[in-house]
Amino acid sequence: MDKTNIVTCTAPVNIAVIKYWGKRDEELILPINSSLSVTLHQEQLKTTTTVATSRSFQEDRIWLNGKEEDITHPRLQSCLREIRRLARKRRGDGDPSVDSTGLSHKVHICSVNNFPTAAGLASSAAGFACLVYTLARVFGVEGELSGIARQGSGSACRSMYGGFVQWIMGKKDDGKDSLAQQVEPETHWPELRILVLVASAERKPVGSTSGMQTSVQTSSLLKHRAESVVPGRMVEMIEAVQRKDFAAFAELTMKDSNQFHATCLDTYPPIFYLNSVSQQVISLVHRYNRHYGETRVAYTFDAGPNAVIFTLQQHVSEFVQVVQHFFPPETNGGQFFKGLPVNHAALSEELKQAIGLEPMPKGISYIISTKAGPGPCVVEDPTLHLLESTGLPK
Ligand code: DP6
């Protein structure tokens, strides 16, 4: 009788506060600098992946968000190959937990996000982290997996852990020392809140992979950043996180985002990820902080116009009202706020005037309110598998 072995797991999105930009090895995905991120809570943003193996499957197949995709994609192949290699090695070492029967079987993979892919939120990190974590469970391999997730997408290695995570760049040519490591768990800083401001973007920006390639080839600022700026910032950022020093954390986060976008402008031809909405968010944050004479809010931007805001719980309700005022939404508030509930505070005229920006109607589609969260998890409930026992999507 053919038995289908089936496992479902979930994995989180992460947002870098010290950015990864630039590779020293394209194949192995080895970075030119270390980076540090916060893992976002999976209640708001996650990828769910089911992997099934069976002797009856004819070939490896993958479905992403309801559509069958090309399994021969080189980065998918790297992850599959490395997990199978690890499983064979562990079996060779006599580890009884490794499912040796399934090793020769083909896999079916089905993956979905609980957030719209079109929103331009980094989904490849959660996607590859989830793939690697689920494959490992299916084949019964445990232990360090971030080095395999890294070969799917660099930032994916950081999604293998919860809380505050560093990706140590490593020195070796084979990449064995280029791994993610948890700095502090998700419970470390419970007051920290994260707001994802989804900008209503018109067009798809240049992808990270090709963008960072051009930056490495042409930007001397990027070289300076990687060699002389990031090493010191990593130390300072880890200390700020450990001390829960919001002002220090916030300032470093904003400066690092700004420097990353400066290296994009220093790329030739230049790359623009920030648009007028992003620029308005930047002004808003600085004016808000200046009004209070302290750093209460920070922004960071990846390879697109969406802003990710860090603040403390006590400032969330006022700050989201500020955002709603300066980016009047289409709908009347209802669908504008998603995720963790936010209280509605009244905005003072004084604060609005102090900020003094011209409102940009519909500049932001919606806000997802979230916090730091755990790393990948196994879904125990078999009704939640995304594949039937026949190996086809439900
Ligand atoms: C700006 O991890 O998407 O989000 O390794 O080529 O897949 P590849 O790139 P990717 O790059 C992420 C870049 C970033 C910064 C960051 O997350 O550190």
Side-chain angles (χ1 to χ4, degrees):
M1 182 54 194
D2 273 347
K3 238 184 113 274
T4 309
N5 184 10
I6 185 160
V7 179
T8 299
C9 300
T10 63
V13 167
N14 73 77
I15 177 78
V17 290
I18 300 292
K19 304 293 185 191
Y20 147 54
W21 196 251
K23 297 179 185 66
R24 63 178 199 277
D25 186 313
E26 293 285 334
E27 191 81 7
L28 289 168
I29 313 199
L30 301 178
I32 59 168
N33 60 259
S34 296
S35 55
L36 195 142
S37 58
V38 182
T39 295
L40 306 191
H41 206 289
Q42 296 182 48
E43 253 160 55
Q44 283 75 46
L45 300 161
K46 72 174 173 211
T47 296
T48 303
T49 302
T50 298
V51 174
T53 62
S54 168
R55 200 157 64 95
S56 65
F57 295 169
Q58 304 291 306
E59 53 188 351
D60 292 336
R61 294 176 75 179
I62 186 163
W63 291 264
L64 299 179
N65 295 306
K67 198 169 154 276
E68 180 153 21
E69 299 286 346
D70 183 8
I71 192 90
T72 68
H73 189 286
R75 288 173 169 203
L76 270 172
Q77 288 298 320
S78 298
C79 293
L80 276 164
R81 185 188 62 234
E82 292 306 313
I83 287 283
R84 283 175 167 141
R85 195 205 304 272
L86 194 60
R88 268 189 204 100
K89 187 172 172 296
R90 298 266 163 101
R91 186 182 53 179
D93 295 347
D95 183 339
S97 65
V98 174
D99 177 18
S100 50
T101 49
L103 255 177
S104 56
H105 295 172
K106 300 294 181 195
V107 297
H108 282 194
I109 303 159
C110 187
S111 192
V112 296
N113 296 329
N114 71 343
F115 54 91
T117 322
L121 302 166
S123 56
S124 71
F128 277 108
C130 206
L131 173 73
V132 168
Y133 192 80
T134 317
L135 282 170
R137 287 284 168 156
V138 166
F139 292 125
V141 292
E142 273 163 29
E144 219 311 303
L145 297 167
S146 74
I148 301 182
R150 189 200 72 227
Q151 296 176 57
S153 182
S155 55
C157 72
R158 299 185 312 237
S159 276
M160 296 302 281
Y161 297 96
F164 301 81
V165 183
Q166 62 169 327
W167 172 11
I168 299 168
M169 64 177 289
K171 292 193 291 273
K172 295 186 179 162
D173 286 341
D174 65 4
K176 291 269 166 17
D177 56 352
S178 187
L179 303 170
Q181 194 179 70
Q182 188 176 63
V183 171
E184 289 290 346
E186 59 276 17
T187 48
H188 170 68
W189 199 349
E191 303 79 20
L192 191 70
R193 285 290 175 279
I194 302 151
L195 305 167
V196 184
L197 275 44
V198 179
S200 20
E202 329 78 74
R203 54 194 181 81
K204 206 176 148 39
V206 181
S208 330
T209 307
S210 72
M212 66 177 84
Q213 242 166 27
T214 320
S215 296
V216 169
Q217 285 157 7
T218 63
S219 170
S220 55
L221 179 59
L222 181 64
K223 190 171 152 57
H224 167 71
R225 163 181 166 71
E227 287 170 4
S228 310
V229 181
V230 174
R233 274 192 187 160
M234 284 295 292
V235 175
E236 286 179 62
M237 185 60 99
I238 290 170
E239 285 172 2
V241 166
Q242 287 174 336
R243 290 199 311 269
K244 295 190 267 184
D245 179 341
F246 185 79
F249 171 83
E251 196 172 307
L252 279 166
T253 296
M254 292 188 277
K255 286 185 170 170
D256 203 72
S257 172
N258 294 340
Q259 188 175 71
F260 155 50
H261 291 280
T263 68
C264 291
L265 191 60
D266 190 48
T267 298
Y268 192 81
I271 306 167
F272 305 94
Y273 289 124
L274 305 178
N275 64 15
S276 59
V277 171
S278 323
Q279 285 162 23
Q280 169 110 331
V281 171
I282 293 174
S283 309
L284 186 67
V285 167
H286 286 293
R287 288 171 186 219
Y288 184 81
N289 289 338
R290 191 185 55 196
H291 173 72
Y292 285 108
E294 68 177 9
T295 312
R296 293 189 174 185
V297 178
Y299 53 78
T300 186
F301 297 83
D302 282 341
N306 295 333
V308 176
I309 299 290
F310 288 94
T311 189
L312 296 173
Q313 197 172 9
Q314 73 244 46
H315 305 309
V316 168
S317 53
E318 184 180 71
F319 190 72
V320 296
Q321 297 306 310
V322 170
V323 173
Q324 192 177 22
H325 178 80
F326 289 101
F327 296 95
E330 195 159 17
T331 50
N332 241 349
Q335 275 305 89
F336 192 61
F337 300 110
K338 298 178 198 272
L340 293 175
V342 288
N343 295 324
H344 289 249
L347 264 198
S348 73
E349 276 311 313
E350 189 202 349
L351 178 56
K352 281 186 219 168
Q353 268 170 24
I355 292 173
L357 290 165
E358 191 60 42
M360 283 180 76
K362 298 178 208 162
I364 288 170
S365 311
Y366 54 92
I367 301 178
I368 306 168
S369 175
T370 186
K371 57 184 181 181
C377 315
V378 178
V379 177
E380 304 287 356
D381 181 353
T383 65
L384 298 176
H385 290 322
L386 303 173
L387 292 166
E388 304 280 6
S389 53
T390 57
L392 292 175
K394 281 187 178 164

